[in-house]
Amino acid sequence: MAELDGVAKYQTTTVNHVCVDASYGMKQLQKGIQPTGDLLVIVDMNDLVAFEGAKKRIYKEPREFEKLENTESHFTLRPDVDLIVYKGHEYTVNSVVEVNPVNNEPDFLEIIANA
């Protein structure tokens, strides 16, 4: 989401082939286990399929995304700014961790978001 002349601009990107754990944040209370509203999303960057309408989009980490003059073919995930919609519920992105065990390019994105 960006702002132009004081008006929020939404850029909706659909990302396919992700793993979602909607019970990620559980806490133990005296009355039992309660969900915290946290969501864990894992994106396999090797199988990334992301679209806005019919246009394919490529992930860029937030600092690289901000440097782009034209963001039409890219998307990013920024903590405390961007939203994830899962099963009709909105979650605010809290953190994005790029996991790259072998090289400099991320193999996975681990996203934690809360309702």
Side-chain angles (χ1 to χ4, degrees), residues 7-60:
V7 177
K9 175 186 168 196
Y10 290 92
Q11 200 169 28
T12 302
T13 301
T14 302
V15 180
N16 295 327
H17 311 300
V18 299
C19 178
V20 178
D21 182 354
S23 62
Y24 173 72
M26 299 296 231
K27 59 184 173 183
Q28 179 68 44
L29 301 174
Q30 288 181 340
K31 296 181 181 181
I33 297 174
Q34 297 291 320
T36 62
D38 289 346
L39 187 74
L40 172 64
V41 180
I42 306 290
V43 179
D44 184 340
M45 297 302 285
N46 299 306
D47 293 330
L48 179 65
V49 178
F51 292 93
E52 179 181 14
K55 291 186 271 180
K56 189 170 183 176
R57 302 187 58 128
I58 300 166
Y59 174 80
K60 291 285 186 186

Side-chain angles (χ1 to χ4, degrees), residues 50-109:
F51 292 93
E52 179 181 14
K55 291 186 271 180
K56 189 170 183 176
R57 302 187 58 128
I58 300 166
Y59 174 80
K60 291 285 186 186
E61 64 94 17
R63 286 177 293 200
E64 293 298 318
F65 185 83
E66 295 299 324
K67 293 178 186 177
L68 296 173
E69 288 184 31
N70 183 351
T71 62
E72 286 186 24
S73 62
H74 296 86
F75 77 101
T76 195
L77 292 162
R78 296 164 295 195
D80 301 321
V81 175
D82 292 317
L83 301 173
I84 292 175
V85 178
Y86 176 69
K87 293 190 175 182
H89 299 284
E90 287 187 353
Y91 298 84
T92 302
V93 173
N94 288 342
S95 68
V96 179
V97 176
E98 294 182 2
V99 179
N100 46 352
V102 179
N103 57 35
N104 291 334
E105 295 297 319
D107 288 320
F108 299 94
L109 291 181

